Amino acid sequence: MTCQFRCGNACAHEVPNTSDNAYFSDILTGALSRRGALRAGALGTLIATVGVAGAAPALAEPADPAVEPLARGHQKNGLRFAPVAPNTRDVLTVADGYASSVVVRWGDPVLPDAPAFDFDNQTAAAQAKQFGYNCDFVTFFPMGRDRSLLWVNHEYTDENLMFRDWSTGDTATVEEIKIGLAAHGGSVVELERARDTGQWKLVTKGRRRYNRRVTAQTRMRFSGPAAGSDLLRTAADPRGTTVYGMLNNCAGGTTPWKTVLTAEENFNQYFVGGNGVPEAQKASLTRYGVSTTTAIPSGNRRFDRVEERFDLAKHPHEINRFGWIVEIDPFDPDSTPVKRTALGRFAHEGATTTITRDGRLAVYMGDDGRFEYVYKFVSKDRYIPGFDRHNFSLLDEGTLYVAKFTGDSPAAEIDGTGKLPSDGGFDGSGTWIPLVSGDRSYVEGMTAEEVLVYTRLAADKAGATKMDRPEDIERNPVNGAVYVALTNNTNRTAAQVDEPNPRAANKHGHVLEIVERRNDPAATTFSWAVPLVCGDPADPATYFAGYDKTKVSPISCPDNVTFDAEGNLWISTDGNALGSNDGLFAMPLAGPERGHVRQFLTVPVGAETCGPLILDDQRSVFVAVQHPGELTGASPDAPASHWPDGGSSQPRPSVAVAWHKQGKKIGS
Ligand code: FEO
Ligand code: CA
Ligand code: CA
Ligand code: CA
């Protein structure tokens, strides 16, 4: 069921990446040694704050680049909580000593004049004013100590859980389809702190002047080098500059100038008529996972029955107008969201910003598909704190790169079982291959506009490394390294394993750690390692950075990551293939406890854990509990979950917050 509604049954179809890019590690040119690779990007004792909030920090040079950077030191990690045991309970379970509450649920009023939620009498007009479905990315914009705005993505809809007797998009009522359109997008809501605790609550009274709903029908504009391109022009928008709505917004990011970056992911599933596009467009459609032989793919929501633009046979370019990073100003509810074309077009999973050593903005991005790629954008100009009019154009000009990873062990030692090679680690070096800078394309045979609109095809030509579903990518504010969650890839065969993706039939996923040269996000070379190969710790194919596996929590399908103030990695999961519920985990990255994974919370039946977000004061952790009750066979008459309201209620995707009962920092 997850497959049908979230990604249009992607797994049941051919993998869209049929490029002949290498699976095996290429032999390292120049025989870069392991020590040399470390020197190329070593972190040393590190470092200053590199978070999104500050100006460019002066990063220290590594003290001794020959020493393995991330294992050195005995840094205190501050993690003291007892792990939550794997379970299949239909509740949000937090570690002992913590409390949790629901902040906002599907259907809760967002705009002050929104009607109360009524499951059996829902309307599109009500939904457009209420909190949308399937909450994903969450981010926080403090307004003083006790007030804040919360941004939340609404990735997709589960129509068969939202409506009684729903069977397909073909037979859905027009009103149901319109509710679906209105339940996508995102929300801005105002929160207030509950007394002096780590708990936050939805503000439900008063003007709430910033509260906003963005939907699949909100007017947006294009900016950057591909805005106005022929490839973005349609009958309704002959100039190629205006588009309505955003689709399947999964993870995201926050800019230093306090705007949201929200990532359109599996947009391909919303269109019909792929068999009717001009012949010349078919290759690009196929590469983006759209059938060019079927008029109406099974499971399609049939938005085209309400808005003809979703029929590619009639409007072949409409799909090119989705799959972007969208920037939204949460402090201006009348602002027009902007699709930033300089960041490329693919199944964007997230967009994490950080500042380069010379003050420019870097954005890390994953393309969440089997055998897809890792990307980075670096702005041409510098970020200037306080000069927002300038900063607001930073994402329109810069260079888009794709990652190529090279292992440092002989290919014969990477056998697909997860067995470590003789040098003791899955690791190596890498390069960021430039694809496009402004109007200049680096890809032979493709214009800059084509590179930006058909980024996957450009990355194929550039020889990028095919990864196991690159999801969230985030930079650690303490050690400066960049962490990539690779959710899984059961399609990878033993013949296709390589050192960065070392396990065949990778059911449980892994985490990859990138150390940019000179710890500079603008670098074009890096070293990397795999500190975590997920699964049941009793399974010899798993690896927990060398930590004692009898003492770690089982973990499967890492999806989103974040950090606490000590630089510990927090990982949320999606699709736990070990038979228990998804959850949130913490893992120290430094010192003797590197690899000591512990589960902090579990989410209810059928849900994945999104977010996560640890507030700067370390007193609260937010998670988005997406698609509770999303199990095959579930329906409103037979719900698989009753979370969060309990009893016989319908499940409602919701954002929750957890805090320590004595006000201690998260993880204590
Ligand atoms: Fe929307 Fe890649 O998870
Ligand atoms: Ca190695
Ligand atoms: Ca995700
Ligand atoms: Ca996910």
Side-chain angles (χ1 to χ4, degrees), residues 389-467:
R389 199 156 49 85
H390 160 83
N391 296 329
F392 206 59
S393 67
L394 284 185
L395 295 173
D396 285 340
E397 211 175 340
T399 303
L400 181 65
Y401 300 89
V402 69
K404 181 177 175 67
F405 297 85
T406 308
D408 68 359
S409 294
E413 291 188 10
I414 311 300
D415 65 5
T417 65
K419 184 177 162 227
L420 293 174
S422 56
D423 71 354
F426 300 117
D427 55 1
S429 59
T431 54
W432 292 106
I433 307 169
L435 298 175
V436 59
S437 261
D439 292 334
R440 178 175 175 200
S441 165
Y442 297 101
V443 181
E444 206 181 317
M446 294 180 83
T447 65
E449 287 175 356
E450 287 169 340
V451 172
L452 293 170
V453 176
Y454 301 130
T455 308
R456 281 182 171 179
L457 289 158
D460 293 345
K461 290 187 173 211
T465 303
K466 295 174 167 180
M467 307 298 286

Side-chain angles (χ1 to χ4, degrees), residues 17 21-26 367-374 403-411 413-421 425-430 463-471 473 484-514 526 528-534 541 543 558:
N17 189 353
N21 288 358
Y23 292 103
F24 283 100
S25 337
D26 294 351
D367 182 348
D368 180 14
R370 296 162 291 162
F371 303 110
E372 294 300 341
Y373 307 131
V374 170
K404 181 177 175 67
F405 297 85
T406 308
D408 68 359
S409 294
E413 291 188 10
I414 311 300
D415 65 5
T417 65
K419 184 177 162 227
L420 293 174
F426 300 117
D427 55 1
S429 59
T465 303
K466 295 174 167 180
M467 307 298 286
D468 287 349
R469 289 189 55 198
E471 287 256 351
I473 305 176
V484 184
L486 295 152
T487 300
N488 57 41
N489 184 356
T490 49
N491 285 56
R492 190 177 289 272
T493 65
Q496 293 172 329
V497 295
D498 55 17
E499 208 163 339
N501 302 280
R503 195 162 48 170
N506 185 7
K507 254 168 89 170
H508 301 296
H510 56 288
V511 171
L512 193 143
E513 180 178 68
I514 293 173
F526 56 86
W528 61 269
V530 174
L532 178 63
V533 180
C534 299
Y543 177 65

Side-chain angles (χ1 to χ4, degrees), residues 5-26:
F5 288 91
R6 181 186 326 177
C7 52
N9 286 320
C11 300
H13 304 301
E14 298 284 303
V15 167
N17 189 353
T18 54
S19 71
D20 57 3
N21 288 358
Y23 292 103
F24 283 100
S25 337
D26 294 351

Side-chain angles (χ1 to χ4, degrees), residues 294-311:
T294 319
I296 299 176
S298 73
N300 191 278
R301 290 178 180 79
R302 300 302 311 275
F303 284 174
D304 63 295
R305 292 179 53 212
V306 170
E307 293 196 37
E308 189 189 87
R309 63 185 172 122
F310 291 102
D311 183 348

